Amino acid sequence: MQDYQTQKPTVLEILDTHQAMPGNLLPILHGIQDTLGYIPPAAVVDIAKSLNLSQAEVHGVISFYHYFRETPPGDHTIRICRAESCQAMNGKALEAHAKQQLGIDFHETTADGIFSLEPVYCLGNCACSPSITIDDEVIGRVTTEKFDRLLATYKGAK
Amino acid sequence: MTRVFISRDSTALSLGAEQVATALEQQAASKGLSAEIVRNGSRGLFWLEPLVEVETSQGRVAYGPVQVEDVASLLDAGLLDGKQNPLYLGNIEEIAYFKNQNRLTFARVGLTDPVNIEDYLAHDGYRGLKNALALQATEIVKQVTDSGLRGRGGAAFPTGIKWNTVLNAPADQKYIVCNADEGDSGTFSDRMIMEGDPFVLIEGMTIAGLAVGATQGYIYLRVEYPHAKIALNQAIEAAYKNGYLGENIQNSGKTFHLEVRSGAGAYICGEETSLLESLEGKRGLVRFKPPLPAIVGLFGKPTIVNNVISLASIPVILDKGGEYYKNYGMGRSRGTLPLQLAGNIKHPGLFEVAFGMTLRELLYDYGGGSASGRPIRAVQVGGPLGAYLHEGQFDTPLDYEAFAAISAVLGHGGIVVHDDTVNMADMARYAMEFCVEESCGKCTPCRIGSTRGVEVIDRIVDGAQKEKNTVLLRDLCDTMTYGSLCAMGGMTPFPVLSALNHFPEDFGLTAKA
Ligand SMILES: Cc1cc2nc3c(=O)[nH]c(=O)nc-3n(C[C@H](O)[C@H](O)[C@H](O)COP(=O)(O)O)c2cc1C
Ligand code: SF4
Ligand code: FES
């Protein structure tokens, strides 16, 4: 895990640019996660101080939202849709296959640090179920074969 | 220069539209052909995506579904002249699936360049705002009331009444908040508007601002929609540059500012008061009502919270008049509803039509039956909190009251189809599990009830004291229905009980007499 001292300037800069914004906590958390990949637990102290909130309040917000994470993700984050439309198109089999291929469960990262796996409840891509995203790329009609090809491609690209 | 349209819609991209656009651009150039590629929204006929449309002297000619491997042969076969080939579809607007829709809200989606303001203006854009600028606030609200528009986010509350409440609430600051959280599974109409015609949403919100005296708007966008965020921000920037947002809009002296805010993956933040908490930077805990957000909303100020489709329907209402919109529909469901066909269906897509078509027409005449070719067994309408319908209910017209009469909801218009391989006890269990996952935790019937629900369903399926546990499940559903603070806990019993009542055999129970 990275040393917070090297991340702190980034956090402080993000806090600074959002100073005057009403309702700025979520935009700040997004800013930090977009830049660092996660929200370092040590950043909570700086966020709380800057927004005049208690650390418990900031932590409460981070943990309320599924999207925010407090540990570094793998190089690529795979999100698999678990919702109804994808289930109607073999999404459950895809989910099981993905876990088996990666050797991890949801909310885990592969030992080589390449992939993190997260569940998601609908990607708005239900017309082409089952759907997944890898980082910001949405992929539809994902069969188990297609999933394996994608894994190979992303592994190769790293 | 021949104009070629290839969609930037997420679903088209999820099938390879980006790669097709790149290949077409490169290969046309290397063959010395001149083509200008326009990245449009999607027509919504998703089994034909990636769709390529070519502008010819005889109108637009479509081809699809096109893969990268097809590009070279298509170009050789005269694609840019609109010539015939195996992927030739002709004019997409002549295909029954498109032709028989009533595209009021989606009029421009798929037709225009979504982020080009000139294109928007050339296709009747900002005519509603122009009319609104010449009206008194009360007259704008009257048009909306006359249109009969009811909120498309799920609760179907009359939009005009909400606006009137905010108009009459005295305050130094009011807000317009667009609910773009679109959390319901099986729905994507909000996304398609935001990616395919973001200006229509911006125009609708601006008119809302004029109508109630609000000068600041926020679009609360779910984080799962990165492409929509890009399109919205591009369009907002263009609107500011061209005097359609900001101070002194079109020299009217009126002000309206607009900003996109990202959610963070919480279904409950689609509930309007939870959404407001989230916008304020807090955990998305549902607020007690009253006070209504229309009186005490964002940062304690009177606030309109409307769904994307509700707001995107405002421009056509102000352009053509409330009466025009009202002439579509049936009973108390006026206008059109953009339906979304998803799940196990041969022709999935967006289908905007006047209220009144039956579910069966939609599923079979347009949807073409299941994708697997097996019989359709269960259809969930209205998202994860909507009831499952069985074959015997497919003749119900798509109308708020007709659906309420069979203990079902239309919600945001999502339709998810399951074939006969579905296990409905699994689906009921999933509904409870989803509630466990997404409950905001504020009230006990929802927070604890859903966890108990999962356990009880497991016990029924395992065969432990089936009758007794079925009674227990019904009691639990009653408690959730009547004891929950919001529809998350309050409506989870819809999918659960409909599965239990219509498909008892999947729970190992004999059919109810
Ligand atoms: C659990 C829950 C989730 C909801 N999710 C959404 C949503 O994603 N989008 C939406 O527009 N409305 C959603 N709603 C409905 C909103 O609370 C609210 O009724 C709506 O934003 C009002 O806008 P409208 O009148 O234009 O529909 C949800 C409601 C509940 C109880
Ligand atoms: S019903 Fe569920 S989601 Fe709604 S307020 Fe209660 S605990 Fe929160
Ligand atoms: S249900 Fe999976 S993308 Fe919508």
Side-chain angles (χ1 to χ4, degrees):
Chain A
M1 204 170 289
Q2 249 183 299
D3 177 11
Y4 181 63
Q5 287 315 311
T6 64
Q7 299 170 320
K8 193 175 166 107
T10 311
V11 172
L12 294 183
E13 194 194 317
I14 290 166
L15 286 169
D16 198 48
T17 52
H18 288 84
Q19 203 83 66
M21 187 188 233
N24 54 6
L25 182 50
L26 262 70
I28 287 168
L29 296 174
H30 275 296
I32 296 173
Q33 183 156 315
D34 286 350
T35 322
L36 301 176
Y38 68 110
I39 298 157
V44 171
V45 182
D46 290 321
I47 300 169
K49 204 187 298 164
S50 162
L51 302 191
N52 211 1
L53 296 168
S54 72
Q55 289 182 39
E57 281 170 302
V58 176
H59 190 261
V61 171
I62 296 171
S63 57
F64 182 86
Y65 295 96
H66 300 304
Y67 182 77
F68 295 131
R69 55 181 304 147
E70 295 184 281
T71 54
D75 299 335
H76 301 291
T77 300
I78 302 177
R79 294 192 160 80
I80 301 190
C81 177
R82 295 196 63 214
E84 290 90 341
S85 172
C86 290
Q87 288 186 39
M89 294 301 279
N90 296 323
K92 276 190 174 172
L94 175 67
E95 179 184 323
H97 175 82
K99 287 178 180 171
Q100 197 227 330
Q101 285 299 95
L102 294 166
I104 53 173
D105 207 335
F106 282 136
H107 311 296
E108 293 180 356
T109 299
T110 51
D112 57 12
I114 300 183
F115 296 109
S116 291
L117 189 64
E118 298 291 334
V120 68
Y121 296 90
C122 193
L123 293 160
N125 201 42
C126 336
C128 295
S129 291
S131 297
I132 67 169
T133 57
I134 303 184
D135 304 329
D136 259 358
E137 189 187 0
V138 190
I139 305 141
R141 293 191 202 128
V142 183
T143 57
T144 49
E145 295 78 24
K146 190 164 170 180
F147 184 83
D148 292 345
R149 283 201 301 278
L150 286 163
L151 276 195
T153 312
Y154 273 83
K155 235 181 191 159
K158 174 133 164 45
Chain B
M1 180 91 81
T2 309
R3 294 215 299 167
V4 179
F5 297 79
I6 303 175
S7 183
R8 60 187 280 165
D9 176 278
S10 294
T11 295
L13 296 178
S14 87
L15 300 172
E18 190 67 44
Q19 291 84 336
V20 171
T22 309
L24 207 138
E25 181 151 40
Q26 287 171 352
Q27 294 185 30
S30 72
K31 288 180 202 284
L33 300 166
S34 85
E36 179 199 344
I37 298 183
V38 179
R39 303 306 299 274
N40 58 343
S42 174
R43 299 282 195 162
L45 283 62
F46 285 118
W47 71 100
L48 299 175
E49 291 282 0
L51 188 78
V52 175
E53 281 186 89
V54 180
E55 202 166 63
T56 72
S57 49
Q58 304 93 50
R60 267 157 81 155
V61 177
Y63 303 84
V66 177
Q67 291 299 315
V68 172
E69 306 82 71
D70 304 320
V71 171
S73 61
L74 285 177
L75 283 171
D76 290 341
L79 174 88
L80 297 182
D81 302 314
K83 296 246 174 75
Q84 302 251 0
N85 64 48
L87 296 179
Y88 178 88
L89 298 165
N91 181 351
I92 195 95
E93 297 189 4
E94 291 303 320
I95 295 178
Y97 195 99
F98 190 94
K99 196 177 181 174
N100 296 344
Q101 297 190 32
N102 308 109
R103 290 213 166 194
L104 303 186
T105 307
F106 276 73
R108 272 172 301 266
V109 176
L111 195 60
T112 54
D113 177 345
V115 297
N116 182 328
I117 199 163
E118 269 102 57
D119 216 5
Y120 185 65
L121 290 166
H123 290 86
D124 300 341
Y126 278 123
R127 287 169 50 140
L129 178 70
K130 190 164 174 235
N131 289 343
L133 283 170
L135 295 175
Q136 297 295 320
T138 48
E139 294 169 320
I140 302 176
V141 175
K142 184 172 184 304
Q143 289 297 319
V144 176
T145 308
D146 289 349
S147 74
L149 177 68
R150 291 162 71 180
R152 302 293 189 239
F157 186 82
T159 307
I161 294 182
K162 187 183 285 185
W163 286 27
N164 203 44
T165 309
V166 179
L167 171 64
N168 292 322
D172 54 345
Q173 175 74 58
K174 300 178 186 179
Y175 295 102
I176 309 296
V177 171
C178 171
N179 188 339
D181 200 50
E182 195 162 66
D184 285 1
S185 47
T187 71
F188 42 83
S189 59
D190 294 351
R191 180 185 62 65
M192 285 185 67
I193 281 280
M194 293 186 285
E195 292 174 355
D197 192 16
F199 287 117
V200 79
L201 174 59
I202 297 169
E203 182 181 352
M205 292 185 72
T206 310
I207 295 169
L210 296 176
V212 302
T215 54
Q216 176 69 49
Y218 292 101
I219 299 172
Y220 185 88
L221 177 68
R222 69 196 303 245
V223 70
E224 291 85 355
Y225 285 178
H227 296 288
K229 187 173 180 177
I230 294 168
L232 282 170
N233 280 328
Q234 287 173 334
I236 287 172
E237 194 188 326
Y240 269 106
K241 269 203 189 122
N242 289 274
Y244 284 98
L245 279 176
E247 323 253 306
N248 196 17
I249 291 171
Q250 298 300 300
N251 296 315
S252 64
K254 307 281 187 187
T255 298
F256 191 67
H257 292 283
L258 185 56
E259 193 183 319
V260 179
R261 288 288 178 93
S262 293
Y267 178 73
I268 195 57
C269 288
E271 195 282 332
E272 56 185 5
T273 64
S274 163
L275 186 155
L276 295 175
E277 291 287 302
S278 184
L279 265 180
E280 292 180 7
K282 303 176 194 152
R283 288 183 295 156
L285 296 186
V286 172
R287 295 179 184 169
F288 289 100
K289 284 192 271 193
L292 293 170
I295 311 280
V296 183
L298 185 64
F299 303 119
K301 303 294 182 184
T303 302
I304 287 183
V305 184
N306 271 140
N307 170 255
V308 173
I309 300 295
S310 312
L311 288 163
S313 300
I314 297 298
V316 67
I317 291 169
L318 266 292
D319 177 13
K320 304 209 167 148
E323 284 299 321
Y324 173 86
Y325 189 82
K326 192 184 190 164
N327 277 332
Y328 291 87
M330 72 172 275
R332 294 207 296 117
S333 306
R334 308 314 312 176
T336 59
L337 183 64
L339 295 153
Q340 301 122 90
L341 266 178
N344 198 328
I345 187 90
K346 194 165 167 205
H347 293 158
L350 183 108
F351 201 96
E352 180 181 357
V353 70
F355 289 93
M357 181 178 271
T358 68
L359 187 57
R360 190 182 302 277
E361 279 175 88
L362 191 64
L363 292 174
Y364 294 99
D365 297 355
Y366 298 103
S370 74
S372 62
R374 303 182 65 97
I376 295 179
R377 181 154 180 254
V379 175
Q380 188 178 32
V381 184
L385 307 176
Y388 283 98
L389 307 190
H390 62 88
E391 160 79 32
Q393 298 174 309
F394 291 175
D395 290 314
T396 311
L398 295 154
D399 161 71
Y400 293 120
E401 278 66 41
F403 265 62
I406 59 164
S407 300
V409 292
L410 276 183
H412 186 48
I415 298 178
V416 174
V417 179
H418 295 264
D419 72 10
D420 63 351
T421 59
V422 70
N423 180 318
M424 294 305 296
D426 282 352
M427 300 318 294
R429 185 187 195 278
Y430 171 81
M432 284 292 189
E433 207 189 325
F434 182 68
C435 188
V436 173
E437 198 69 26
E438 300 297 332
S439 167
C440 84
K442 188 153 174 166
C443 58
T444 319
C446 170
R447 190 184 67 240
I448 308 290
S450 51
T451 305
R452 289 290 102 79
V454 173
E455 295 163 6
V456 174
I457 293 172
D458 280 346
R459 265 183 262 136
I460 295 173
V461 172
D462 288 347
Q465 296 183 298
K466 269 185 187 297
E467 298 304 323
K468 195 175 141 236
N469 278 311
T470 306
V471 173
L472 196 59
L473 180 61
R474 289 184 186 282
D475 277 354
L476 192 62
C477 283
D478 260 8
T479 308
M480 289 176 74
T481 304
Y482 301 106
S484 297
L485 181 57
C486 85
M488 177 83 232
M491 284 175 61
T492 293
F494 270 104
V496 175
L497 290 178
S498 56
L500 182 67
N501 291 336
H502 304 324
F503 308 94
E505 61 277 18
D506 288 13
F507 294 76
L509 298 163
T510 45
K512 261 206 317 187

